[in-house]
Amino acid sequence: MKTFKKVYIEITSVCNLACSFCPQTGRQANFIKVDTFAHTLNQINRHTNHIYLHVKGEPLLHPKLDELLDISHAKGFKVNITTNGTLIQKAKHKILGKPAVRQMNFSLHSFDGHEGSTDREQYITNILSFIRQAAEAGQNVIFSLRLWNLDQDNATNLEKNRNRHSLEIIEKEFNLNYRIEEKVERGKGLKIAERIYLNQDHEFEWPSLQAPEDDGKGFCHGLRSQAGVLVDGTVVPCCLDGEGVIKLGNIHDSSFTEIIESERANRLFDGFSKREAVEELCRKCGYRKRFGA
């Protein structure tokens, strides 16, 4: 039986921002119901004990996020939340004190990615205030501050890009006696305080069927260390299939176990065992090149 390091569960396909690096989904706007979420957890419970409340959409928008976290804890799951952070002050009462929460990832690059963003300092201060509250409450959560907006021109000279102001705010908050650029390595987390990390990387690029296709060589962890369930129950091989292009099945029609052992799922899995992408979307996804040919 396949087991995964993590399973992504999309609790909403709705987002409050429109970031340039994140194509708007063409799927129906939806929020997962509490009983549907519980059903999803029952479906995956033999395959993982770590879930990520994200694919597309902003998880802090979910009106019953606190209930979802309580159910996750009751069923023995550890939860990772990836958020743009803009709603953290409104949603913090649903997160603080919840033992299920293992890690929170704040996509700080959302500020510059969204055209209507205003007041960078207040945005980051709100996030840092929440982190401080969680620490003071003794909540053992890992926090990752992400700036995934580098390009080839500024990857080695960060002073010239728009991140400097954000980094200055963080440096001041944690009384750092160094400039973050001097320590951080692209793609690796820099520990700036206990259980708090900063991560910088190139701009995130969602795979698309409209992208050019190459020889299809490479490797991917889809269906090997991860899988995903979209808000409507569609099972996808990884967190990058944000439109559900590779529909392996639906947990409302078949069991998760049956779906990930289906002919299409095994063909994808076996293909990457041979370093070959058998799905069109995979052949148009640059992430498999990060893991070697």
Side-chain angles (χ1 to χ4, degrees):
M1 182 173 61
K2 289 189 179 79
T3 57
F4 304 110
K5 181 179 178 182
K6 55 196 172 185
V7 171
Y8 290 81
I9 300 178
E10 183 184 66
I11 61 174
T12 180
S13 56
V14 178
C15 189
N16 62 318
L17 300 185
C19 295
S20 58
F21 56 82
C22 187
Q24 298 297 293
T25 180
R27 295 182 286 118
Q28 183 178 358
N30 202 354
F31 289 84
I32 199 168
K33 293 181 172 59
V34 172
D35 58 347
T36 302
F37 182 76
H39 170 70
T40 303
L41 295 187
N42 290 339
Q43 289 280 306
I44 69 171
N45 66 356
R46 293 191 298 159
H47 300 278
T48 192
N49 55 14
H50 284 77
I51 58 175
Y52 284 55
L53 302 185
H54 187 65
V55 177
K56 285 289 186 78
E58 169 51 52
L60 300 195
L61 277 173
H62 200 290
K64 296 186 177 180
L65 176 60
D66 49 348
E67 293 184 44
L68 304 186
L69 293 175
D70 288 340
I71 292 171
S72 299
H73 179 62
K75 293 182 179 293
F77 288 91
K78 290 296 184 182
V79 178
N80 286 33
I81 300 174
T82 297
T83 172
N84 59 47
T86 57
L87 303 173
I88 192 60
Q89 290 301 313
K90 293 182 180 179
K92 65 182 180 181
H93 65 283
K94 299 176 183 178
I95 303 170
L96 289 171
K98 298 298 184 184
V101 182
R102 173 189 172 270
Q103 180 169 332
M104 292 193 67
N105 306 312
F106 289 96
S107 299
L108 302 186
H109 46 280
S110 300
F111 183 88
D112 289 306
H114 179 67
E115 188 175 339
S117 295
T118 58
D119 200 344
R120 181 192 307 269
E121 186 161 358
Q122 187 62 58
Y123 164 67
I124 296 178
T125 297
N126 285 343
I127 292 172
L128 297 178
S129 174
F130 168 78
I131 292 174
R132 194 162 52 246
Q133 284 181 271
E136 290 170 354
Q139 196 164 354
N140 291 322
V141 178
I142 299 168
F143 294 101
S144 175
L145 304 174
R146 294 176 171 179
L147 279 168
W148 290 0
N149 57 5
L150 303 182
D151 58 38
Q152 295 298 330
D153 294 330
N154 65 22
T156 57
N157 193 2
L158 306 186
E159 287 185 20
K160 295 182 179 179
N161 72 32
R162 56 197 176 184
N163 290 338
R164 178 86 293 265
H165 188 191
S166 299
L167 296 177
E168 285 177 351
I169 299 169
I170 295 168
E171 290 164 359
K172 182 179 179 180
E173 168 70 19
F174 295 101
N175 296 313
L176 301 183
N177 60 2
Y178 57 86
R179 291 166 70 92
I180 289 173
E181 299 99 313
E182 298 170 358
K183 303 279 188 178
V184 71
E185 295 181 50
R186 185 181 66 80
K188 295 183 179 180
L190 171 68
K191 185 176 181 179
I192 57 177
E194 189 63 30
R195 306 182 75 83
I196 303 171
Y197 299 83
L198 187 133
N199 184 283
Q200 291 193 304
D201 211 329
H202 289 151
E203 182 172 304
F204 185 89
E205 185 174 353
W206 289 90
S208 167
L209 291 177
Q210 282 67 56
E213 187 172 323
D214 57 25
D215 62 6
K217 298 297 182 182
F219 180 76
C220 180
H221 290 283
L223 289 184
R224 200 170 299 267
S225 66
Q226 66 167 277
V229 183
L230 301 183
V231 68
D232 67 351
T234 298
V235 177
V236 292
C238 71
C239 62
L240 298 181
D241 189 0
E243 290 303 296
V245 173
I246 307 174
K247 295 181 175 69
L248 300 176
N250 192 294
I251 61 170
H252 304 307
D253 302 323
S254 306
S255 73
F256 183 80
T257 302
E258 292 173 331
I259 292 170
I260 61 172
E261 292 294 354
S262 66
E263 180 180 351
R264 187 177 186 181
N266 283 325
R267 189 166 64 246
L268 184 151
F269 182 95
D270 294 339
F272 279 123
S273 295
K274 303 172 186 175
R275 302 304 193 263
E276 296 176 356
V278 300
E279 292 281 350
E280 181 183 1
L281 186 68
C282 300
R283 294 194 296 272
K284 296 179 175 182
C285 177
Y287 270 75
R288 60 186 156 80
K289 299 177 182 179
R290 295 188 175 197
F291 308 112

